[in-house]
Amino acid sequence: MVRRSRDDWTEIALRALAEGGLNAVAIEPLAARAGATKGSVYHHFPNREALLKATVERWEQEHTEKVIELVEAEKTPHDKLRTLFGTVLDRTRKGSVEMALQAGAENEVIAPVLQRVTKKRIGYLTELFEQLGFDEDHAKKRALIAFSLYLGQVQMWATLPGLVEPVLDEAVQVLTAGGQAAVAHNA
């Protein structure tokens, strides 16, 4: 048998979460899926909750923190927003951990991570819209609309695969309309 690391188990759990939702993250089925013993999982995690916590924290790091780092490499706020949407919408099509987590939002392990991630994402989007020249109130509203658009796209890809096309350019155009005018007006 192959010896599995902590990272291996969180990766396996992420795939299970994307494919089968919260209930798919269960020690025995994950071990069987990986061709390992339950003891291999328990070597790294004392229980399912610990595995689930490590898994959603990994998701937080990979799908929020690392995405923001990638986006920050862009020079302009418009390019940052386009890269952000392009990156998250592309990742969404590959499996929906996001929808599984949203569906399990009341779970005591998932709830605090999901709240932290949502707050961070909306805060970051708000900053981008402020950089585009929107005042704080309008920037926050645009951030909420952008995040809602993202969640809607995620849901549609999960439930209507093949019927949804990315709306990246149109979304960025609509969400940024008026931003440059606001910058010119405030100058």
Side-chain angles (χ1 to χ4, degrees), residues 25-34 36-38 41-42:
V25 182
I27 304 277
E28 195 164 333
L30 289 178
R33 175 183 185 158
T37 65
K38 293 185 296 183
V41 181
Y42 287 121

Side-chain angles (χ1 to χ4, degrees), residues 13 112 134:
F134 292 98

Side-chain angles (χ1 to χ4, degrees), residues 68-88:
I68 290 172
E69 287 175 23
L70 173 75
V71 169
E72 280 299 304
E74 296 293 341
K75 292 187 183 345
T76 70
H78 188 273
D79 288 343
K80 288 177 183 182
L81 195 58
R82 190 173 193 302
T83 298
L84 176 62
F85 265 81
T87 301
V88 298

